[in-house]
Amino acid sequence: MTRYTAPTDDMQFVLHDVLNVSASDIPGYNDLEADFTSAVFEEAGKIASQVLEPLNAVGDQQGCRLENGVVYPPDGFKAAFDQMREGGWTALDLDPDYGGQGMPYLMGTAVGEMFSSANQAFTMYQGLTHGAYAAIHAHGTDNQKAKFLPNMADCTWTGTMNLTEPHCGTDLGLMRTKAAPQADGSYKISGQKIFISAGEHNMSDNIIHLVLGKIVGGPEGIKGVSLFIVPKFIVNDDGTLGERNGVSVGNIEKKMGIHGNSTCVMNYDDATGYLLGEEHKGMRAMFTMMNEARLGVGMQGLSQAVGAYQNAVDYAKDRLQGRDVTGVKNPDGPADPLIVHPDIRRSLMDQKSFVEGGRAFLLWGAQLIDQAHRAQDTDADGLVSLMTPVIKGFLTDKGFDMAVQAQQVYGGHGYIEEHGMSQFVRDARITQIYEGANGVQALDLVGRKLAQDGGKHVMAFFDQVKTFIKENETDEALKADFLDPLKHASKDLQSAGMYFMQNGMKNPNDALAGSYDFMHLFGHVCLGLMWARSAKAALAALSDDATSRSNTDAAFYETKLTTGRYYMARQLPATATHLARIQSGADTVMALDAEAF
C-alpha cells in the first residue's frame, strides 16, 4: 500500500542551483546540462516507481529461499534485474573501457537514491557489485580487470565483499580464513564468512567474491590480511566459465529487514582465489570498496527516510482525525485531516528538512569524490575521507529516526504490516549497523580523521563555512535565518574539537566518550551549511533577473526557504546539546565498574 515518486525537481535543484555542476571544472561535468540530467532522472524515476517499488513489499513478505545450494530471490526480482541490466543502469558511472557509461559518480549516487528509496533490498545486488568492481578497477592487474570487469559492469556477473567471520566483526585482525599459496600463483582459500549480502542467488551467471584472508606464514593480526578474488565459477583464460569453485552457501540469515536480499553464510573449502593488490595489504584494497560502500549506506539511510516521508505525507492529508484548534478546515467532513495539527506538522517538517538537507549533503559528498578521482584533487580526497563517517553515521541514524517518525504519523496503522511503514523502519535499521556500526564510524572520525594530515581537512571545512558566511554576511535575507545559526553551530563544532585537543591526550576516554555526539554535531553543521547554500540558491532564483538552472517554479523556491528556516531554527540548535555532552567528559560514562551493570 505504499508508493514512491522520484524527487527529480529537488535533485535538479541541488545539482544545478546549489552545486552548479555544469559550470564545474571537474572533467565530465560539462556534460551535465539540466536537460541531460533531467532526462536521466525522469527515466530512472520511472524504473524506480513502476518496476522496483511494486516489488518492495513482495521482497519483504517472501524473502529468499535456499534449495539444494541455490538461493532463489523473491518473485519478480530476476525479471527486474534483467530490465536494469538491459537499460544500462548497473553501469551508469563505470569506466567505458570496461563496459560502463562513464557518467560521474554524482549521477550514480542520485539515481542510486531513487532505486534504494523504491527497493533497498533489490538495489543492494547491483550496489555490492559496484563496490567489488571499484576495488578490482583500483587494485587489479590489467589481466584481472580485463577478465572480470566487463561482465561485472552490466551485472552479468555480480560481486560481493567478504569480511566478517563468526568470531570477529570490526576487529579483522582476528580472522581465521587462510590462503595457501599454489605453484601457479593462485591460492587455496579456506574459511567461513557471515553476513555476506547477495552472497548467493540465481540472477547472474557468476558471482565474484572479494574475500579477506591471511596467507599462510604471513604476519599476525591485521598486518597479515590480504584480499582475494574468488569466483563462484572459475573463469577460463578465454573468458568462458569453467568448473564450480570450492565456495558454497551454508545458510541464509533470518533478518529484521531487507528480506529481499540474500544475506548468506559463505563457506570456502580450498576455493581457488587470486591475490588482489599486494600481499598483506588487503585492507588497503578493501577500503576502496568499504569507503564507497559507507557512502552508499549513508544514501540508503536517507532513501528510507525519503520513502517513508512521502507516504506519511499522503496519510496525513487523507486521514481525518480531530478538529483544528484554530478553526474547522474540513467543514463538509466529520473531522479535519491529520496534517492540520501542529505536532503532525512538526513531525513532517522534521522529515522534510532532513531528507532535503541530507540529499544536498550526500550529493555534495559525491561531487567531492568526482573532484578527487576525476581531477586528481588530493584536498578533495582528504575532505571526503573526513566526511565519510559523518555521511554514513549521521544520515543513517537520522534516516532511521525519520522513518520511525513517519510510521508514528500513521498511529496504530503504522504498526500494521499492510500499510508498509514497518518495512521502512526495519530496512533502515540495518544501515546503522553494517559497513561499520555507527559507533565505530564515530570513533574513526574522532580517533583518526580529525588529526589526519595534521588536521588539514577539518580546518578546510571550517574555512568553507567561514568563507560562505563572510561572502554573504551583507545579505539581510540570509543573515538572521541562515548565517547566524550556521555561525553558532560552527562555533560549537570548533569548541568540541578544541576540547578533544586539550583533553584527549591526557585522557583519551574524554575524546572517545564524546565521539558519537561529535559525529552528530558535525552532521548538523554539514546540513546547516547545505541549507544555507540552498537558501542562497533559492533567493537567487526568485530574484527579478534570475533564470533558474533547474527550471522549477517560484512556489518550489519559497517552499525551499521555509523548509530551510525550519531546520535552522528547530534542528540546528541540537549542536549546543551535543557540545555540552562532549564537554562533560568521560567521568560519568566510565564511572561504573563492569560488574555494576
Side-chain angles (χ1 to χ4, degrees):
M1 292 183 64
T2 59
R3 63 93 180 172
Y4 172 71
T5 302
T8 53
D9 283 349
D10 198 53
M11 289 183 174
Q12 286 286 93
F13 168 74
V14 175
L15 263 62
H16 299 289
D17 291 82
V18 180
L19 301 179
N20 195 10
V21 292
S22 59
S24 170
D25 59 2
I26 298 173
Y29 271 44
N30 59 332
D31 295 329
L32 300 183
E33 297 292 342
D35 288 346
F36 172 75
T37 59
S38 177
V40 174
F41 292 161
E42 289 297 329
E43 289 304 311
K46 291 176 185 176
I47 294 285
S49 61
Q50 298 173 14
V51 178
L52 302 188
E53 200 281 335
L55 294 174
N56 199 32
V58 174
D60 186 56
Q61 294 160 10
Q62 290 187 5
C64 300
R65 71 182 194 278
L66 174 62
E67 295 181 4
N68 299 319
V70 178
V71 173
Y72 295 91
D75 292 346
F77 270 45
K78 192 173 190 303
F81 203 62
D82 290 341
Q83 191 169 343
M84 294 287 281
R85 276 199 297 248
E86 291 162 5
W89 296 107
T90 65
L92 202 67
D93 58 346
L94 301 183
D95 188 344
D97 289 343
Y98 300 103
Q101 296 191 43
M103 291 188 201
Y105 182 80
L106 175 70
M107 292 297 290
T109 301
V111 169
E113 185 208 309
M114 296 183 194
F115 292 163
S116 290
S117 292
N119 195 326
Q120 178 179 328
F122 176 93
T123 305
M124 288 172 64
Y125 289 97
Q126 66 196 60
L128 270 296
T129 306
H130 193 288
Y133 174 106
I136 296 173
H137 190 275
H139 301 282
T141 64
D142 289 344
N143 180 60
Q144 287 173 338
K145 288 188 279 190
K147 194 171 191 176
F148 295 106
L149 295 186
N151 282 314
M152 294 178 73
D154 67 2
C155 282
T156 298
W157 301 347
T158 54
T160 71
M161 53 191 297
N162 289 237
L163 290 77
T164 308
E165 299 184 5
H167 57 282
C168 71
T170 302
D171 191 353
L172 294 173
L174 298 176
M175 72 175 56
R176 297 171 183 163
T177 296
K178 297 298 183 184
Q182 304 299 298
D184 63 358
S186 67
Y187 294 79
K188 291 297 184 183
I189 312 297
S190 298
Q192 186 179 77
K193 299 289 184 177
I194 62 171
F195 307 155
I196 309 307
S197 300
E200 169 62 34
H201 56 85
N202 70 342
M203 297 195 299
S204 63
D205 296 339
N206 202 2
I207 301 176
I208 311 303
H209 302 286
L210 297 193
V211 183
L212 283 178
K214 293 181 177 179
I215 297 174
V216 175
E220 292 296 318
I222 200 69
K223 294 182 179 179
V225 172
S226 301
L227 184 61
F228 301 90
I229 301 172
V230 186
K232 175 181 173 180
F233 290 98
I234 298 296
V235 181
N236 298 320
D237 291 338
D238 62 0
T240 60
L241 297 183
E243 63 183 11
R244 176 70 183 257
N245 206 354
V247 53
S248 60
V249 57
N251 195 14
I252 301 177
E253 305 284 9
K254 294 178 174 60
K255 311 185 297 292
M256 175 180 177
I258 55 169
H259 296 153
N261 193 269
S262 54
T263 307
C264 298
V265 175
M266 301 302 299
N267 297 319
Y268 294 88
D269 300 301
D270 279 341
T272 298
Y274 310 96
L275 183 68
L276 178 60
E278 301 176 49
E279 287 187 357
H280 317 312
K281 303 291 185 182
M283 292 309 298
R284 179 186 303 171
M286 183 58 85
F287 268 115
T288 298
M289 185 159 57
M290 288 175 65
N291 283 337
E292 178 179 310
R294 285 169 176 171
L295 292 166
V297 172
M299 177 267 289
Q300 288 180 338
L302 172 69
S303 74
Q304 296 312 291
V306 171
Y309 163 71
Q310 289 189 3
N311 286 277
V313 169
D314 290 348
Y315 190 81
K317 289 179 178 179
D318 292 341
R319 174 75 170 179
L320 301 182
Q321 191 81 41
R323 289 295 188 185
D324 187 341
V325 295
T326 64
V328 173
K329 295 296 187 292
N330 180 32
D332 296 329
D336 290 329
L338 278 173
I339 200 165
V340 306
H341 302 302
D343 192 59
I344 296 295
R345 289 292 188 95
R346 172 203 57 78
S347 176
L348 293 176
M349 287 298 288
D350 279 354
Q351 296 167 55
K352 181 177 175 62
S353 64
F354 167 73
V355 299
E356 293 181 14
R359 177 176 299 120
F361 180 33
L362 178 71
L363 295 179
W364 177 52
Q367 184 183 39
L368 287 174
I369 290 177
D370 282 329
Q371 189 174 339
H373 294 171
R374 288 173 170 253
Q376 303 299 306
D377 187 330
T378 55
D379 289 337
D381 189 54
L383 185 56
V384 79
S385 177
L386 170 72
M387 293 295 177
T388 294
V390 184
I391 292 172
K392 196 280 183 184
F394 183 73
L395 291 187
T396 59
D397 275 351
K398 300 302 289 186
F400 174 76
D401 288 347
M402 295 305 113
V404 171
Q405 285 209 43
Q407 183 186 38
Q408 190 76 9
V409 169
Y410 279 67
H413 291 291
Y415 202 65
I416 303 301
E417 289 293 339
E418 70 180 85
H419 288 275
M421 300 309 287
S422 168
Q423 184 182 356
F424 289 120
V425 172
R426 289 183 286 104
D427 286 357
R429 185 65 182 91
I430 186 58
T431 66
Q432 299 172 282
I433 299 172
Y434 64 8
E435 303 306 337
N438 285 354
V440 175
Q441 300 301 320
L443 294 176
D444 179 48
L445 174 64
V446 171
R448 294 197 318 119
K449 297 299 177 60
L450 282 185
Q452 194 171 21
D453 296 327
K456 171 183 176 181
H457 307 300
V458 71
M459 294 308 298
F461 174 77
F462 287 137
D463 285 343
Q464 284 202 27
V465 176
K466 290 176 184 176
T467 299
F468 181 86
I469 292 172
K470 186 174 183 179
E471 289 177 348
N472 297 282
E473 60 188 357
T474 60
D475 188 338
E476 292 301 321
L478 280 176
K479 189 175 187 308
D481 291 339
F482 293 93
L483 300 185
D484 288 348
L486 177 60
K487 183 184 293 186
H488 288 306
S490 179
K491 286 181 178 179
D492 286 343
L493 184 62
Q494 292 177 66
S495 296
M498 186 63 67
Y499 175 84
F500 291 153
M501 288 178 60
Q502 294 172 345
N503 297 274
M505 293 298 292
K506 292 181 290 185
N507 181 10
N509 281 342
D510 279 338
L512 299 182
S515 61
Y516 211 94
D517 279 286
F518 187 82
M519 180 178 72
H520 274 253
L521 201 169
F522 208 150
H524 277 298
V525 174
C526 288
L527 261 65
L529 177 60
M530 292 300 103
W531 271 117
R533 291 178 65 179
S534 296
K536 179 181 178 179
L539 287 167
L542 288 168
S543 64
D544 292 338
D545 57 350
T547 301
S548 168
R549 288 180 292 272
S550 60
N551 297 318
T552 51
D553 58 24
F556 173 91
Y557 295 110
E558 294 288 1
T559 300
K560 184 65 67 173
L561 288 167
T562 301
T563 307
R565 291 187 188 104
Y566 178 90
Y567 191 88
M568 305 306 272
R570 300 278 302 207
Q571 294 297 314
L572 195 57
T575 60
T577 299
H578 290 301
L579 176 61
R581 290 173 179 167
I582 290 166
Q583 291 177 333
S584 72
D587 289 348
T588 56
V589 175
M590 305 301 292
L592 288 179
D593 292 332
E595 292 75 16
F597 283 90

